[in-house]
Amino acid sequence: ISDKIIDGVFLANHDTGRAAGYLHYNDMNVKFGAALQLFTPGKAFVYYGDELGMTGSGPKDEDKRAPMYWTSGTSSEMTKGPAGMEPKEHKFPAYDVQKDDPNSVYNYYKKALLIRNAFPSIARGTPAVMEEVTTQNGNLYATSRTIDGETVYVIFNIDNMNPATVTVSKATYPYSGIAATLNVGTEDATISGETLTIPAFGCVILK
């Protein structure tokens, strides 16, 4: 049995208010919260429905365990909630709507998981703060992740309004370019030489 401790990273579970609620049902907040969770080292646990921004909070546990919001309105595909659950009015659309919207919370989660799986070092690598980057801008959260000889650089812009521009030295952090990006809006990260610009609430993987 391994004695290595692995962090379990989650935003919500059946005993807590759902993530979308404490993120104020704000589209950008819900998406960026998912990025911070899924790009943090450790085992990530997504409570069912959080990938849709489902509603569910308050003192009653039943309200945190509403059925998966598969379809809008009344449908035979929707199960009933637990006895005592109060009626739910979800702020974000059901799965059948979100799956076809490239800018939906669901498709943001889907892309984040695809990136996480494509670069194992994101979840399992040993992290180290990229001090040369973070000291340039107080709104940047930047770490390297290394495992089995693979290193990626994960850089977040935690400013929800303004883009961030930073120099990422290839001499200090050997990388070829942008390997993946995750954005809450339509703007994407760009790089010119060693100058990286990340949109508000954006995330970049360099490799």
Side-chain angles (χ1 to χ4, degrees):
I1 299 174
S2 172
D3 60 357
K4 182 179 180 181
I5 297 174
I6 300 175
D7 291 330
V9 187
F10 64 91
L11 296 179
N13 60 40
H14 63 281
D15 288 324
T16 70
R18 284 192 172 275
Y22 64 72
L23 294 171
H24 306 292
Y25 300 106
N26 177 283
D27 179 86
M28 291 176 60
N29 292 349
V30 171
K31 290 176 178 177
F32 194 61
L36 291 172
Q37 178 201 6
L38 296 175
F39 290 172
T40 294
K43 292 285 187 179
F45 296 87
V46 177
Y47 187 43
Y48 80 92
D50 276 357
E51 73 273 30
L52 300 177
M54 278 179 56
T55 298
S57 60
K60 297 179 66 175
D61 281 345
E62 293 87 348
D63 290 345
K64 303 162 188 170
R65 304 171 185 178
M68 185 70 170
Y69 193 29
W70 292 113
T71 60
S72 306
T74 302
S75 170
S76 60
E77 297 177 25
M78 290 286 290
T79 58
K80 294 181 179 180
M85 184 190 81
E86 298 175 350
K88 288 283 163 287
E89 180 179 345
H90 296 293
K91 308 296 184 181
F92 294 96
Y95 164 76
D96 63 344
V97 175
Q98 290 203 37
K99 67 181 178 62
D100 297 322
D101 177 2
N103 297 315
S104 68
V105 172
Y106 169 78
N107 277 309
Y108 185 92
Y109 262 89
K110 187 175 179 180
K111 183 176 181 182
L113 287 166
L114 287 171
I115 294 172
R116 175 187 171 91
N117 291 336
F119 302 99
S121 52
I122 291 177
R124 302 200 301 271
T126 301
V129 176
M130 300 171 66
E131 293 185 3
E132 188 176 296
V133 173
T134 57
T135 54
Q136 294 180 52
N137 188 317
N139 289 319
L140 293 176
Y141 163 53
T143 64
S144 63
R145 312 280 174 80
T146 302
I147 189 172
D148 297 332
E150 178 193 67
T151 298
V152 297
Y153 305 97
V154 184
I155 306 175
F156 293 94
N157 177 9
I158 62 174
D159 190 321
N160 67 346
M161 296 183 64
N162 304 300
T165 298
V166 63
T167 298
V168 185
S169 167
K170 292 184 179 180
T172 307
Y173 309 107
Y175 66 95
S176 297
I178 294 176
T181 62
L182 194 61
N183 308 299
V184 299
T186 57
E187 294 184 21
D188 207 350
T190 60
I191 192 166
S192 177
E194 297 181 340
T195 302
L196 175 66
T197 300
I198 309 174
F201 268 4
C203 179
V204 171
I205 310 296
L206 299 178
K207 184 179 177 182

